[in-house]
């Protein structure tokens, strides 16, 4: 019973992989730009989950790779969060510029440029 | 790893990056005081920023420092707690980015006035994206590489959409942002898996751990997944088929000066990152990534060359041509044995990037100069009769086109020469002949441009093309460089040899831990 309640690194990784796949499917299938942007956030959050889980895992490891060096994952996650925020800000800005000229947020109507 | 602190040397080594950032912020500030008709001051500031940054690069030609470093077994100088390494490879790319940026700034001055979008942010974002590129080229830590990549990419998204009132520009920016952010996410996922597998974010340690432990353990499949996602992200950034869809759209919709900037500087930065990661970090996985690159390279050369045939928009045509060039460059990484890189192949890639910077920027400078009054100037028909309207530019454009096609006495030939040579000497005869075949094939669409310029009927707008002074400087610089490298390549080959002297030496590993 106790063993069942124990959450291991693997659980986090499976959740991360699931989030990642959901994000990829979202980007590839959804037609609303705002939802596509949200799916991209989902991918970046999968990355964060991975990084923090791995960081936790390496902290518990003996040897030169464990210990303080294992905090790199946490630092990386903070950078990724910042990056996601910047990307969302620029993305919404571009979307507003686009919407002003075109009055749509549907990617199917992003169709001026094609071969 | 002793104390957690930066020394004065650290700050000196990253001074070029710091200066670029400071100048970018300075431009944003002084832009507020500059009246609309004197916005060229921003361009002067930006050029100063580039010049100061170039002057601040730890001068590799000054004897002493490198001799000292090499005598002490250093291959390059690690800085900022091993987050980056300022080696010859990085310095080579830093100069390359700065040269490309200077020329792109010269191209922009008149163009932005014509578009009525002459804002200081343009130059500030350009400098910031170069700061990001420098981090990518010098990055030893995947965190820094990722942040550099994002700094470059986010600045470029805005630059692509800089013509706010132009729907094509909006659309290009939106597409570029969505696909760029998507690929960054995939790339970061791969990096997070590598961190998990090896317990380090340092490329040198990742390489060591992969070779010694991970690839021999039961985690090998995870390493392969990590490789696939990472390499997908990398190939997205350099626009290789099948991850190229964003490139033609972004190139066509972006302001033409930014198209030129993206096609050389952003691409070179993508290559610097790809070479760093594949050569330094993932070399132990070479047997796995070589077959992937063979597939991607063949697909890229085939797809891009055929797609370029049917284009009627010059910017879009050159976008496909730049994708095709990625295909040739990838061949340089394939050359060599299953576990060993071919030095000639990497040399070919670096020379290719150098000459490509000048010839492609030159071509885009000529296209940018066609923009005047109500003429957008990016259709193939707009080139009609250019020879009678601007003879010098038309002749130089012909030089750029022949150079892009790889005709022997011109610069473009040397990049292809070393890459195909490395393929032949490592026994990849089929790939080498395919590359040569597509080079000849590409001549068709380059000559289509030449044909329009020299044979095309002059339209009613037959007057001389008004070309500004800065634009003339940009075209002249790129033209001279293309001819000079083509006719006297020795010193440039020496330069690349010099740049690779350290990058190929995986001694960076011993600096860490």
């Amino acid at each position: 019973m106790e063993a069942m309640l124990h959450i291991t690194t693997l659980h986090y990784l499976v959740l991360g992989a699931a989030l990642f796949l959901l994000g990829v499917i979202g980007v590839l299938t959804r037609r609303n730009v705002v939802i596509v942007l949200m799916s991209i956030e989902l991918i970046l959050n999968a990355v964060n989950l991975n990084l923090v889980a791995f960081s936790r895992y390496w902290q518990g490891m003996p040897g030169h790779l464990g210990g303080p060096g294992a905090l790199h994952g946490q630092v990386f996650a903070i950078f990724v969060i910042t990056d996601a925020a910047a990307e969302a800000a620029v993305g919404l800005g571009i979307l507003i510029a686009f919407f002003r000229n075109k009055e749509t947020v549907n990617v199917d109507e992003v169709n001026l440029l094609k071969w | 790893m002793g104390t957690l602190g930066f020394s004065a040397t650290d700050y000196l080594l990253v001074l070029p990056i710091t200066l670029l950032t400071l100048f970018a912020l300075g431009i944003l500030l002084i832009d507020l005081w500059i009246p609309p008709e004197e916005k060229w001051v921003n361009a002067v500031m930006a050029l100063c920023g580039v010049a100061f940054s170039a002057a601040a690069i730890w001068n590799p030609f000054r004897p002493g420092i490198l001799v000292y470093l090499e005598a002490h077994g250093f291959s390059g100088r690690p800085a900022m707690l091993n987050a980056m390494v300022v080696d010859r490879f990085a310095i080579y790319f830093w100069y390359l980015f700065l040269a490309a940026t200077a020329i792109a700034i010269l191209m922009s001055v008149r163009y932005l006035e014509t578009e009525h979008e002459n804002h200081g942010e343009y130059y500030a974002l350009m400098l910031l994206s170069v700061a990001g590129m420098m981090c990518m080229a010098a990055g030893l830590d995947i965190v820094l590489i990722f942040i550099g990549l994002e700094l470059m990419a986010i600045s470029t998204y805005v630059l692509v959409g800089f013509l706010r009132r132009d729907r094509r520009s909006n659309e290009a920016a939106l597409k570029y942002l969505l696909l760029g952010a998507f690929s960054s996410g995939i790339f970061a996922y791969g990096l997070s898996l590598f961190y998990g597998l090896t317990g380090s974010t340092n490329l040198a340690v990742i390489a060591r751990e992969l070779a010694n432990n991970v690839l021999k353990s039961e985690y090998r499949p995870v390493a392969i997944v990590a490789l696939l996602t990472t390499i997908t992200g990398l190939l997205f950034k350099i626009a290789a088929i099948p991850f190229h869809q964003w490139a033609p759209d972004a190139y066509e919709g972006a302001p033409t000066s930014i198209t030129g900037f993206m096609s050389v500087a952003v691409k070179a930065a993508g290559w610097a990152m790809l070479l760093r990661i594949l050569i330094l970090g993932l070399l132990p996985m070479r047997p796995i990534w070589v077959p992937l690159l063979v597939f991607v390279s063949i697909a890229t050369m085939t797809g891009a060359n055929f797609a370029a045939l049917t284009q009627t928009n010059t910017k879009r045509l050159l976008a496909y041509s730049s994708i095709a060039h990625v295909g040739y460059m990838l061949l340089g990484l394939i050359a060599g044995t299953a576990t060993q890189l071919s030095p000639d192949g990497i040399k070919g890639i670096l020379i290719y990037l150098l000459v490509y910077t000048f010839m492609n920027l030159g071509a885009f400078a000529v296209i940018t100069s066609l923009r005047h009054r109500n003429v957008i100037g990016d259709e193939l028909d707009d080139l009609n009769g250019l020879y009678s309207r601007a003879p010098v530019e038309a002749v130089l454009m012909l030089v750029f086109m022949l150079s892009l096609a790889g005709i022997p006495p011109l610069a473009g030939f040397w990049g292809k020469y070393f890459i195909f040579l490395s393929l032949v000497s490592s026994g990849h005869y089929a790939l080498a002949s395919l590359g040569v075949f597509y080079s000849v094939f590409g001549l068709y669409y380059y000559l289509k441009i030449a044909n329009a310029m020299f044979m095309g009927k002059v339209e009613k707008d037959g007057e001389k093309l008004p070309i500004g002074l800065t634009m003339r400087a940009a075209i002249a610089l790129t033209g001279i460089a293309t001819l000079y490298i083509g006719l006297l390549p020795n010193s440039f080959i020496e330069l690349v040899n010099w740049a690779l002297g350290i990058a190929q030496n995986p001694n960076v590993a011993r600096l860490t831990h």
Side-chain angles (χ1 to χ4, degrees), chain A residues 58 70 83 87 101 112-113, chain B residues 150 164 170-171 175 195-196:
Chain A
W58 283 107
D83 165 60
E87 220 154 44
N101 285 336
L112 227 50
L113 301 168
Chain B
E150 288 302 292
R164 276 174 306 164
N170 295 154
E171 194 175 310
K175 281 184 179 166
Y195 167 67

Side-chain angles (χ1 to χ4, degrees), chain B residues 58 90 94-95 154 224 448:
Chain B
W58 196 311
W94 285 8
Y95 279 124
I154 291 178
I224 293 174
K448 221 163 81 174

Side-chain angles (χ1 to χ4, degrees), chain B residues 351-370:
Chain B
I351 293 183
Y352 212 122
L353 284 169
L354 177 75
V355 298
Y356 180 75
T357 298
F358 293 111
M359 60 196 185
N360 217 42
L361 259 183
F364 276 109
V366 173
I367 295 170
T368 311
S369 67
L370 292 174

Side-chain angles (χ1 to χ4, degrees), chain B residues 86-374:
Chain B
V86 183
D87 55 9
R88 297 171 176 185
F89 179 83
I91 290 172
Y92 177 82
F93 273 100
W94 285 8
Y95 279 124
L96 191 65
F97 300 149
L98 290 173
T101 313
I103 296 170
I105 291 171
L106 289 176
M107 283 161 58
S108 308
V109 184
R110 173 67 74 85
Y111 180 75
L112 289 180
E113 278 170 21
T114 318
E115 294 283 1
H116 302 293
E117 291 285 3
N118 206 345
H119 308 294
E121 289 85 354
Y122 178 90
Y123 300 107
L125 285 167
M126 228 168 171
L127 294 192
L128 284 178
S129 83
V130 180
M133 291 172 199
M134 287 184 155
C135 293
M136 287 161 75
L140 188 56
D141 197 292
I142 52 178
V143 182
L144 183 78
I145 294 182
F146 181 72
I147 291 303
L149 168 70
E150 288 302 292
L151 179 57
M152 176 194 82
I154 291 178
S155 311
T156 321
Y157 302 150
V158 183
L159 285 172
V160 168
F162 207 74
L163 307 178
R164 276 174 306 164
R165 287 180 287 267
D166 179 9
R167 279 204 353 218
R168 288 200 306 172
S169 183
N170 295 154
E171 194 175 310
L174 191 61
K175 281 184 179 166
Y176 187 27
L177 175 112
L178 291 179
L179 288 173
F182 181 46
S183 66
S184 296
I186 296 176
F187 180 57
Y189 190 78
L191 293 185
S192 79
L193 287 180
F194 276 121
Y195 167 67
L197 286 167
T198 60
S200 173
T201 52
N202 190 299
L203 280 179
V205 182
I206 288 177
R208 193 184 63 206
E209 291 295 314
L210 280 177
N212 293 347
N213 303 321
V214 178
L215 290 178
K216 294 174 193 151
S217 71
E218 71 270 35
Y219 295 119
R220 191 183 159 89
V222 185
I224 293 174
V225 173
L227 175 79
L228 287 178
T229 45
T230 308
I231 224 168
T232 303
L234 290 170
L235 292 175
F236 246 114
K237 294 299 171 193
I238 59 167
I241 289 176
F243 311 109
H244 68 293
Q245 296 91 337
W246 60 270
D249 291 342
Y251 281 25
E252 185 185 342
T256 316
S257 48
I258 288 304
T259 311
F261 178 69
M262 278 170 72
S263 72
V264 297
V266 173
K267 181 156 286 184
W271 268 101
M273 173 175 78
L274 182 117
L275 291 176
R276 272 271 188 234
I277 291 183
L278 288 189
I279 296 179
L280 194 57
L282 304 184
L283 193 58
M285 301 185 85
R286 181 169 161 85
I288 307 169
W289 54 253
V290 164
L292 280 174
L293 290 191
V294 170
F295 166 75
V296 171
S297 171
I298 293 175
T300 307
M301 290 188 294
T302 312
N305 276 308
F306 277 100
L309 284 183
T310 57
Q311 300 305 320
T312 55
N313 181 298
T314 330
K315 277 158 89 177
R316 214 173 171 79
L317 193 159
L318 285 178
Y320 279 111
S321 121
S322 93
I323 297 172
H325 285 292
V326 168
Y328 305 134
M329 281 189 253
L330 281 174
L331 292 174
L333 270 174
I334 296 166
T337 61
T339 52
Q340 213 57 46
L341 285 157
S342 151
D344 271 341
I346 308 301
K347 189 159 113 187
I349 293 175
L350 290 204
I351 293 183
Y352 212 122
L353 284 169
L354 177 75
V355 298
Y356 180 75
T357 298
F358 293 111
M359 60 196 185
N360 217 42
L361 259 183
F364 276 109
V366 173
I367 295 170
T368 311
S369 67
L370 292 174
R371 174 82 173 95
H372 63 109
R373 286 205 297 279
N374 298 322

